[in-house]
Amino acid sequence: MGMLKDKYGLVTGGASGIGRACAIRIAREGGAVVIADLESSRDKGEDVVKEIRSFGGTATFFCCDVANEADNAALVNEVVSLYGALNFAINNAGIGLYVRLADTDAADFDRVIAINLRGTFLGMKYQIKQMLKNGGGAIVNNSSSAGLRAVNLLGAYSASKHGILGLTKSGALEYANDGIRVNAVCPGAIMTPLMEVQSVEYQKELVSPQAMSRFGQPEEVAAVVTWLCSDESSFVTGVSMPVDGGGDASY
Ligand SMILES: NC(=O)c1ccc[n+]([C@@H]2O[C@H](COP(=O)([O-])OP(=O)(O)OC[C@H]3O[C@@H](n4cnc5c(N)ncnc54)[C@H](O)[C@@H]3O)[C@@H](O)[C@H]2O)c1
């Protein structure tokens, strides 16, 4: 415990699933975290804040739509005005879209790109500007197994998640000597509210490429994300790390 003591940062999409688990794990490691999520998720976000404060951790909720540029700037400002620096940032907010490519509405495609890919870009833009001012930091982007390969019915999503890996590598390359590390995690099938709404057949299809024939838990992703945010991973940057029960190994 204490891997993130005296570190300050943010997690987008922190009201639910993997983001929630990241916020809790980071707070348990001594980090102070701003939980950013949509206004419609405020109650769930405030519940995460309460849970963190109940064990003596430091957290606050901030309303932010990652698709909105001004919100991303305001989010970074919030962390700095509360804590004085931005040491870590987890760009986790994302949505799914489950439809074959030719049946995908252009508006739905645009929405997935706006939140998953453009939202990550906008987050990184303001996070990096601040990290340059405060002497460095660590960014972790949440991609997916679908960022490494195609997954049936996830064309738009997969494109957005492949794009996140491009942003991750670009950020890592350009800011490596400024003390800023940028990494991505590529989770396999993780049991979260996003997954719970899928049909049992589709859930089985998503788990089937993994060597481990079970869903991952959000906490198992959070453990890797927390390590990537910490100084324990000080020589690791630009990686796209599968957290997928051996799914990547079977390709
Ligand atoms: N669950 C999985 O199997 C899995 C696998 C690989 C990658 N991922 C990725 O992990 C991330 C988290 O997914 P999850 O499974 O925890 O889902 P989730 O639905 O439980 O949580 C997503 C959170 O993001 C928030 N969000 C959505 N749009 C937003 C926006 N525009 N601005 C701010 N917040 C927004 C939601 O309100 C929600 O709280 C996503 O990027 C997802 O693509 C999930």
Side-chain angles (χ1 to χ4, degrees):
M1 294 296 159
M3 223 191 323
L4 285 172
K5 193 169 176 298
D6 300 328
K7 301 282 190 194
Y8 311 104
L10 64 91
V11 53
T12 68
S16 176
I18 295 170
R20 172 182 176 277
C22 289
I24 291 170
R25 180 64 194 268
I26 277 170
R28 286 207 180 275
E29 295 291 343
V33 61
V34 173
I35 293 161
D37 213 303
L38 297 170
E39 179 59 38
S40 54
S41 294
R42 179 182 285 277
D43 289 351
K44 283 165 71 185
E46 296 287 8
D47 285 347
V48 183
V49 170
K50 267 188 220 145
E51 187 173 343
I52 288 173
R53 289 183 182 163
S54 73
F55 59 75
T58 305
T60 187
F61 178 81
F62 188 78
C63 181
C64 168
D65 179 347
V66 298
N68 180 302
E69 180 157 10
D71 281 12
N72 282 283
L75 173 59
V76 169
N77 284 340
E78 174 74 0
V79 179
V80 175
S81 70
L82 283 171
Y83 307 125
L86 181 74
N87 304 120
F88 65 86
I90 304 162
N91 295 306
N92 162 78
I95 58 168
L97 179 68
Y98 308 87
V99 59
R100 290 177 85 192
L101 206 52
D103 299 324
T104 302
D105 285 341
D108 290 337
F109 181 88
D110 289 348
R111 199 165 66 91
V112 169
I113 297 297
I115 294 172
N116 295 6
L117 181 57
R118 190 167 175 275
T120 299
F121 156 69
L122 291 173
M124 288 175 68
K125 174 175 170 174
Y126 291 97
Q127 293 153 12
I128 290 169
K129 282 179 190 288
Q130 176 57 38
M131 286 175 178
L132 288 171
K133 285 188 209 159
N134 61 228
I139 294 174
V140 182
N141 296 326
N142 198 346
S143 176
S144 170
S145 294
L148 297 168
R149 57 183 167 81
V151 177
N152 188 30
L153 301 184
L154 284 178
Y157 179 85
S158 182
S160 73
K161 295 297 186 176
H162 276 75
I164 286 174
L165 298 184
L167 289 172
T168 301
K169 291 173 199 172
S170 300
L173 186 76
E174 291 178 9
Y175 299 98
N177 292 317
D178 296 302
I180 300 174
R181 295 182 299 108
V182 187
N183 291 293
V185 287
C186 299
I190 311 297
M191 189 43 81
T192 68
L194 186 130
M195 183 62 69
E196 281 161 12
V197 297
Q198 306 307 321
S199 69
V200 174
E201 294 73 38
Y202 190 54
Q203 287 186 3
K204 279 187 189 153
E205 188 180 330
L206 291 175
V207 168
S208 64
Q210 297 174 181
M212 293 183 192
S213 308
R214 66 166 176 88
F215 282 100
Q217 296 302 317
E219 292 74 17
E220 294 177 289
V221 182
V224 178
V225 171
T226 302
W227 177 74
L228 287 171
C229 286
S230 80
D231 293 341
E232 295 293 305
S233 57
S234 54
F235 202 50
V236 179
T237 195
V239 303
S240 310
M241 187 174 291
V243 187
D244 63 356
D248 197 48
S250 61
Y251 276 84

